[in-house]
Amino acid sequence: MKALQLVEMDAPRTNTHRAWTREALRRIEAETQQSVRTPLIKLPLPQFRNVTVYAKDESVHVTGSLKHRLARSLFVQALCNGEIGPDTVIIEASSGSTAVSEAYFAALIGLPFIAVVPAHTSAEKLRMIEHYGGRCHTVEEASAVTTEAQRLATECGGYFIDQFTNAATATDWRTANIAEEVHEQLRLSENPVPSWVVVGAGTGGTSTCFARHARYRGYDTRVAVVDPDGSAFFEGWRQNDRSVRTTTPSRIEGIGRTQVEPSFYPELIDRMIHVPDAASIATMRWFSRLLGRRVGASTGTNLWGTLLLAQELEQSGEATSLVTLICDSGDRYVSTYYNDDWLTTQGIDVRTYASMLTEFEGAGQLKRTDTSDCTVSAAE
């Protein structure tokens, strides 16, 4: 009888919690339905006669980046798992873009949000987090963001949403995802199944989604991951060792980590390409002139690797297509990657790679260094 009374006493609270969860999920689903599919842009690269390069423009999401998809999936998973309720403080460890998108979704369902960000995060991103009602908590060491986020969650009784652990499980790789969109958008093109999809890795969730979806649908599309200086993903994949650590964090916001994150699956990746930071930023600026609008540095990383792969396929004479991503708008980095004085303070000189891209425009050949690429296959 006492147990029955306890259940009856708790029922109103449980029902209220369920009603709130249903409403929160309804709001997120309504936002999903109102969002348009992001465009797939055919890039004007006459240097390639046999190879077509496409860029899926994720900067058009309402929060301005690829991370909008991840944030939505993380909130849906946490709601369905009963991890968050009407009074939960949401906490995330992020270099900026994920936090911007999560602040938006937290506000959408009426929850407070705290972003634990590295001190070097661009001022533009911090303002966007605050624009959506989030609060920024900075740490000096980028490698400490996860530990600090966990501490804050324990201290305030909040929920650490943890993109780096949960990205691969929260993202539905079977249907209604970025990979399915790309293949549907290419369905009527001359080369509807791209040879390669080229993406960076922050959590590893996007590369995992593309790789799993290709296997699920039976596509021959392979996945290449581009990795910046200071990141552990490249060496972790090359050595097949998840314990690899680095001491200097990535300077390309949104990608690269000092450890191999749980949502990164090396066995799903067909190729990894190390891209020097100077190449990322030079390509970012070059790509921005090509498009007529600014893109972020991780997009530059993507395109550098894509151009290398496209050049290999062009030389083989294969008629095919490649797909990469425009991750976010470069307007978030006016004070950093587009600021020559900032580059000088960081010791980044883009002139060599800028000259290589200029030569590429004229000669159609992009020179590469021995250290810029690794061709070891996952099977090996």
Side-chain angles (χ1 to χ4, degrees):
M1 180 64 69
K2 289 183 179 180
L4 178 61
Q5 290 175 342
L6 180 61
V7 171
E8 289 175 344
M9 290 174 63
D10 286 346
R13 180 179 64 84
T14 301
N15 290 340
T16 299
H17 192 294
R18 282 178 175 270
W20 179 86
T21 299
R22 283 195 298 271
E23 173 59 16
L25 288 167
R26 184 200 64 77
R27 293 183 186 185
I28 294 175
E29 178 61 21
E31 189 275 342
T32 303
Q33 295 301 320
Q34 292 158 9
S35 300
V36 296
R37 185 168 60 180
T38 59
L40 189 67
I41 303 170
K42 181 179 178 179
L43 300 185
L45 296 171
Q47 296 86 352
F48 302 130
R49 292 179 296 177
N50 300 312
V51 180
T52 306
V53 177
Y54 296 93
K56 190 158 176 62
D57 189 359
E58 293 293 286
S59 71
V60 304
H61 285 292
V62 65
T63 57
S65 82
L66 167 69
K67 300 298 186 180
H68 190 85
R69 296 177 188 270
L70 174 58
R72 180 195 290 139
S73 297
L74 289 168
F75 270 84
V76 169
Q77 176 174 266
L79 285 163
C80 292
N81 285 347
E83 302 283 3
I84 59 180
D87 302 313
T88 306
V89 179
I90 307 298
I91 298 169
E92 181 62 286
S94 169
S95 65
S97 285
T98 302
V100 170
S101 298
E102 288 176 343
Y104 167 85
F105 281 103
L108 183 67
I109 62 175
L111 296 181
F113 177 77
I114 300 173
V116 180
V117 299
H120 67 260
T121 302
S122 69
E124 293 88 349
K125 281 188 179 177
L126 299 181
R127 285 195 293 269
M128 291 186 71
I129 294 168
E130 293 168 350
H131 169 75
Y132 288 119
R135 182 160 65 88
C136 298
H137 179 90
T138 59
V139 295
E140 288 302 317
E141 296 294 331
S143 59
V145 291
T146 297
T147 302
E148 182 64 7
Q150 291 170 330
R151 186 192 69 79
L152 281 179
T154 300
E155 185 178 276
C156 71
Y159 176 64
F160 175 32
I161 201 163
D162 196 359
Q163 59 168 321
F164 299 109
T165 297
N166 295 323
T169 57
T171 302
D172 186 349
W173 46 267
R174 296 174 183 85
T175 187
N177 56 54
I178 188 172
E180 184 176 71
E181 280 186 24
V182 166
H183 286 287
E184 177 60 27
Q185 288 169 312
L186 287 175
R187 184 170 57 86
L188 298 179
S189 68
E190 293 182 2
N191 300 293
V193 179
S195 292
W196 289 93
V197 169
V198 183
V199 297
T203 62
T206 301
S207 60
T208 297
C209 176
F210 272 108
R212 285 172 167 171
H213 188 76
R215 287 164 171 77
Y216 180 62
R217 295 298 187 190
Y219 299 132
D220 289 331
T221 302
R222 291 167 290 177
V223 175
V225 170
V226 288
D227 207 36
D229 292 336
S231 176
F233 289 126
F234 180 89
E235 280 301 319
W237 177 85
R238 190 177 67 84
Q239 298 178 30
N240 193 29
D241 182 1
R242 281 189 163 274
S243 69
V244 168
R245 298 288 188 273
T246 61
T247 57
T248 304
S250 167
R251 293 180 293 186
I252 305 301
E253 290 189 31
I255 60 173
R257 296 288 292 165
T258 55
Q259 64 182 23
V260 180
E261 298 294 349
S263 287
F264 180 74
Y265 286 73
E267 59 271 21
L268 296 180
I269 308 307
D270 299 288
R271 184 163 175 177
M272 288 204 67
I273 304 171
H274 166 244
V275 179
D277 291 347
S280 294
I281 297 168
T283 311
M284 170 200 76
R285 293 181 170 194
W286 180 83
F287 194 19
S288 296
R289 291 192 294 273
L290 185 70
L291 288 178
R293 55 188 170 90
R294 291 191 182 105
V295 299
S298 59
T299 301
T301 314
N302 285 346
L303 188 60
W304 180 264
T306 301
L307 292 176
L308 290 177
L309 286 175
Q311 183 166 273
E312 288 182 7
L313 292 171
E314 180 70 21
Q315 291 170 349
S316 73
E318 180 181 356
T320 188
S321 60
L322 288 85
V323 175
T324 191
L325 305 179
I326 298 173
C327 301
D328 61 4
S329 168
D331 293 338
R332 301 180 175 197
Y333 310 103
V334 173
S335 63
T336 54
Y337 303 128
Y338 287 94
N339 184 329
D340 289 340
D341 291 337
W342 183 87
L343 292 184
T344 299
T345 64
Q346 296 293 313
I348 300 174
D349 187 346
V350 302
R351 288 176 295 181
T352 297
Y353 292 99
S355 297
M356 292 168 67
L357 289 162
T358 299
E359 291 179 14
F360 168 71
E361 288 182 14
Q365 291 290 317
L366 186 64
K367 298 177 182 177
R368 75 183 201 192
T369 63
D370 291 339
T371 60
S372 71
D373 192 12
C374 178
T375 59
V376 180
S377 72
E380 296 174 340

